[in-house]
Amino acid sequence: MFEFIQKIRRIKKTKQHKLTVFEISLFALLLAIYIIAAILERFVFKGIMNINITYAVFIIFGLALGPWKGAFLGILCDTLNQVIRGISTWMIEYALVPVFIALISGWLLRLMYAKQKITWIIGFSFLSIITAIFVIVLAIHGNNLPINETAVKRTKLIPIRIVLSIAIVGLAFIWISSITFLTLFIKNRKFSVKSNVVLLFSILLVVFFTLMLCRWFWGPFAYINYHNRFRSGNWDYKTYYPIFMIPIIAKTLIEIPIYTAVIFVLYPIIIMIRQRILFYTSKIYSY
């Protein structure tokens, strides 16, 4: 308790709770990156190829800035998006997504990386549970698959074999990668290799868990609310939730390895940003 109070006093004395000039400049740069990602997401990755690359950007916000400042930047991103596109269809359900992603990624990676001994146990237990859930959901609702998660008409359906193929390839790749990481961690004696393997596996788990919560579970809920609110729909969760959830699961199983690889490659830059933020917040540079 005493250490906690001392830490609060130090943060207040050094003004670490306030934004520095460096952080404000960094926010502007990251906002620009978000705008580019949002444009690509809207005009390039659309329809059946709809990929939420902004989710990867929000994860980077949480990792680079920490959970709270990353969440704050997520709010700024949503605000900027509404200024550009208008607020006629603004929804709290979608506005909370950047905040959730930054908070989850910012906290979870530090927790996973700090507890390396239990990272592998938690990680493989998590993957096993998710695999079981996916198989059960697909077995029950696999015959009613829309062309994409925002399709209004149910006339176009994806053949079950295509969805199964996409999902199995993505899930198998994640499992093979995870087993490979564990093998390298056990057999290799170099500290640098062990550290990188744990980091890569931790990033994989963070991306997986974040997308699972914000895409698998929250995504269908938010879209059903959107349709009922702005398109005068009367969709019920029991019927339509699994219909939208299944294609989201299939696509995110492909997105997860890609986002993991990109974030791992960018992680040295993320570390550099953290160090610079720590340097400036330890000085009296804050407003």
Side-chain angles (χ1 to χ4, degrees):
M1 184 66 181
F2 178 75
E3 292 180 358
F4 177 75
I5 295 175
Q6 288 292 100
K7 184 177 180 180
I8 295 297
R9 288 178 178 175
R10 183 178 180 278
I11 290 175
K12 185 177 180 181
K13 184 177 180 180
T14 58
K15 300 183 180 181
Q16 292 184 29
H17 61 290
K18 296 185 178 181
L19 293 176
T20 65
V21 175
F22 174 77
E23 287 176 306
I24 294 173
S25 303
L26 181 63
F27 276 24
L29 176 62
L30 294 176
L31 278 173
I33 294 175
Y34 164 76
I35 293 174
I36 295 172
I39 292 173
L40 291 174
E41 183 179 294
R42 184 177 183 185
F43 296 104
V44 178
F45 302 105
K46 58 183 180 179
I48 194 172
M49 294 301 296
N50 178 32
I51 298 176
N52 295 86
I53 58 177
T54 52
Y55 281 51
V57 175
F58 296 142
I59 292 175
I60 293 175
F61 288 174
L63 299 181
L65 303 176
W68 295 111
K69 291 180 180 179
F72 175 70
L73 184 57
I75 295 175
L76 292 182
C77 289
D78 179 73
T79 303
L80 180 62
N81 185 54
Q82 297 306 317
V83 169
I84 295 174
R85 300 178 60 180
I87 61 173
S88 59
T89 57
W90 182 87
M91 289 179 57
I92 187 64
E93 290 89 340
Y94 286 118
L96 289 175
V97 169
V99 178
F100 287 158
I101 293 176
L103 288 174
I104 294 170
S105 60
W107 277 326
L108 194 58
L109 183 63
R110 297 182 183 185
L111 178 63
M112 294 295 297
Y113 197 60
K115 305 289 185 180
Q116 295 186 14
K117 293 183 179 180
I118 62 173
T119 296
W120 300 103
I121 298 175
I122 295 176
F124 279 96
S125 299
F126 170 73
L127 291 177
S128 300
I129 294 172
I130 293 303
T131 302
I133 292 175
F134 171 73
V135 172
I136 292 172
V137 171
L138 193 61
I140 296 175
H141 302 283
N143 293 324
N144 298 304
L145 303 178
I147 195 71
N148 61 63
E149 67 263 29
T150 58
V152 177
K153 297 181 180 180
R154 305 268 74 81
T155 55
K156 294 183 178 180
L157 302 178
I158 301 177
I160 186 64
R161 62 181 181 275
I162 296 179
V163 176
L164 277 174
S165 299
I166 294 173
I168 290 173
V169 168
L171 197 57
F173 184 80
I174 292 173
W175 270 104
I176 292 172
S177 300
S178 300
I179 294 172
T180 303
F181 298 155
L182 179 59
T183 304
L184 288 173
F185 181 81
I186 294 174
K187 293 188 174 182
N188 203 296
R189 296 182 178 275
K190 293 183 179 180
F191 175 79
S192 59
V193 175
K194 286 180 175 288
S195 179
N196 286 331
V197 168
V198 172
L199 175 62
L200 186 55
F201 186 62
S202 299
I203 293 174
L204 174 65
L205 294 179
V206 169
V207 173
F208 203 147
F209 186 76
T210 303
L211 292 184
M212 180 193 70
L213 290 182
C214 298
R215 288 279 282 148
W216 295 16
F217 299 142
W218 189 260
F221 168 78
Y223 184 70
I224 291 172
N225 287 349
Y226 165 79
H227 183 271
N228 292 341
R229 192 172 304 166
F230 296 107
R231 297 189 179 182
S232 302
N234 57 353
W235 289 353
D236 62 279
Y237 299 114
K238 182 178 180 180
T239 302
Y240 287 92
Y241 192 95
I243 290 177
F244 292 114
M245 185 182 188
I246 293 171
I248 291 176
I249 292 176
K251 282 195 287 187
T252 51
L253 289 174
I254 299 298
E255 295 172 1
I256 288 169
I258 298 174
Y259 293 169
T260 300
V262 171
I263 293 173
F264 180 74
V265 171
L266 295 176
Y267 201 74
I269 300 176
I270 293 174
I271 292 296
M272 182 186 68
I273 292 174
R274 283 186 190 172
Q275 292 173 345
R276 298 298 292 177
I277 291 175
L278 181 62
F279 171 78
Y280 283 111
T281 53
S282 63
K283 307 292 182 179
I284 312 299
Y285 286 142
S286 305
Y287 286 115

